[in-house]
Structure formats: C-alpha cells, structure tokens
Amino acid sequence: DFATTRGDASLPQGMVTFLVGDDRERIENVSKNNLCARSPVFRTMFGIGMKERDAAEVTVSHTDLASFTALVDYLLSDKFDLGEEEGRAQRALDLRELAQMYQVPRLELLCAQALQESVAPATAVPLLEAAHTTGDGRLLAQCRRYVADHAAEVRASGGVEQLRDFGVAKGLLGDALDQVAELKKGALRVAAD
C-alpha cells in the first residue's frame, strides 16, 4: 500500500490530529498521506475537497480512543493488537466495526478471526448477541454451537445473565428444545432396541 505514496501527487500532504470520543482525546501528528494509502475513506476525506482536507484536527465521535488508536496503528504499521486478554473480544468487535466503516478489509478479516478465537464461556453470549446484531452468520453459528456444547460453563460464567436480546434468547431456547427432542429420539431408539 505504501508504494502508492511515491509519485502520486493527488495524495494529501501534512499531518492531522484526531479528537476521539466524547472526551475528545487526542491522537496527534498522523500522516494524512499514509492514511490515504491504506483506506479509501481517508483518501476521500482528505483528498477530494471535503472539509477535513485542510483541517489540522478532525473529530471522530463514533468510537473510543483505544479502538481508533488500534485502527490508526494498523494503518500506519500493519500492527494488529487488541490489547490485554480482558476486553479483547469487545475490542475486536469495535475494531471490526471501524474496519468496515473505513473500508479496511484485511483488518476486518483479522478481527473476525480474533472473534472466532475469543469464544469462551464468559464471551459466548455477548458475542452471540453481537453476531446477531451485525448479521455475522459464521460467528453466530459458532457461538450457538458453543453455548449448546458448553451450557454448564456458559451458565456458571454468568452468560445467561448477560443475555439482553429477546430474539437471541428465543433462538437459544429453540436450540435447547431441539436438543431435548434429539435426546428423546435417541432414548426411544435405545428403548426400542
């Protein structure tokens, strides 16, 4: 991507400072040129006459500092870092949303992979709800299967109490009823033999 920065006079020059989140925390002195080489959204924002083109500061209100910093770090260095184990799944969700918004498909794939690797008793239900909300069928199926296969561990971790989405609750109840029906069929077959 960075090879495109040589000889392309249309790329903007200069630095930008991002004011991120409700607290307007600062990410200072980021090269507009490099951001544009890696993201079509930044290329549009800084390259074709939008109000941000000549701005020294740009407000980004739809995210938090840690997630936006992870996006900028990835764009500038190809460094994919979700931080500490605690909160890793939520950071992957937030960063994937930014990757979609700023049209960075490789980062989006890395986040999807990290989410799939993050499914555990404490994260299965929140990830299931997020997958349902975002329409991520693969993660949804993985979480549903995980909850079915590890129901006791999910329940012990507080997963049931984390459930907020009524549609997801209905889906999990349907899964449980299907499993009961399968168990009954199996028991009837064994009894008939």
Side-chain angles (χ1 to χ4, degrees):
D1 292 332
F2 288 121
T4 62
T5 62
R6 191 179 116 234
D8 186 347
S10 70
L11 286 173
Q13 300 300 311
M15 303 292 206
V16 63
T17 294
F18 292 102
L19 306 174
V20 182
D22 294 337
D23 295 334
R24 297 175 51 93
E25 296 176 272
R26 300 171 73 82
I27 301 175
E28 296 183 325
N29 302 317
V30 180
S31 168
K32 291 179 181 180
N33 188 305
N34 291 340
L35 292 175
C36 292
R38 300 287 307 269
S39 166
V41 172
F42 281 122
R43 187 171 181 104
T44 299
M45 180 187 296
F46 295 129
I48 62 167
M50 294 183 76
K51 68 179 181 176
E52 293 88 356
R53 179 182 181 148
D54 299 319
E57 295 183 342
V58 173
T59 300
V60 181
S61 57
H62 57 270
T63 190
D64 62 277
L65 181 64
S67 298
F68 197 75
T69 299
L71 171 69
V72 170
D73 287 348
Y74 177 79
L75 292 173
L76 297 179
S77 67
D78 222 27
K79 176 182 151 195
F80 179 66
D81 184 7
L82 295 174
E84 300 297 318
E85 199 61 38
E86 179 81 17
R88 192 172 165 82
Q90 186 59 52
R91 173 72 40 70
L93 284 169
D94 295 342
L95 189 53
R96 183 178 69 172
E97 185 178 323
L98 288 173
Q100 291 168 341
M101 186 180 305
Y102 288 92
Q103 298 177 12
V104 186
R106 184 169 172 267
L107 179 58
E108 190 176 344
L109 290 172
L110 289 169
C111 291
Q113 180 180 4
L115 286 169
Q116 290 171 3
E117 293 168 358
S118 296
V119 178
T123 61
V125 171
L127 287 175
L128 178 64
E129 288 185 312
H132 176 72
T133 300
T134 62
D136 185 338
R138 176 178 271 168
L139 183 60
L140 181 71
Q142 180 184 356
C143 291
R144 285 177 66 186
R145 172 64 24 216
Y146 188 91
V147 169
D149 292 346
H150 302 89
E153 295 99 317
V154 170
R155 186 177 184 129
S157 76
V160 174
E161 290 78 21
Q162 295 176 42
L163 194 55
R164 297 179 305 234
D165 187 309
F166 187 63
V168 171
K170 286 174 38 179
L172 289 174
L173 178 59
D175 290 346
L177 293 173
D178 290 345
Q179 282 188 327
V180 169
E182 286 296 316
L183 290 172
K184 282 185 178 181
K185 281 184 196 176
L188 290 175
R189 274 188 246 136
V190 169
D193 291 341

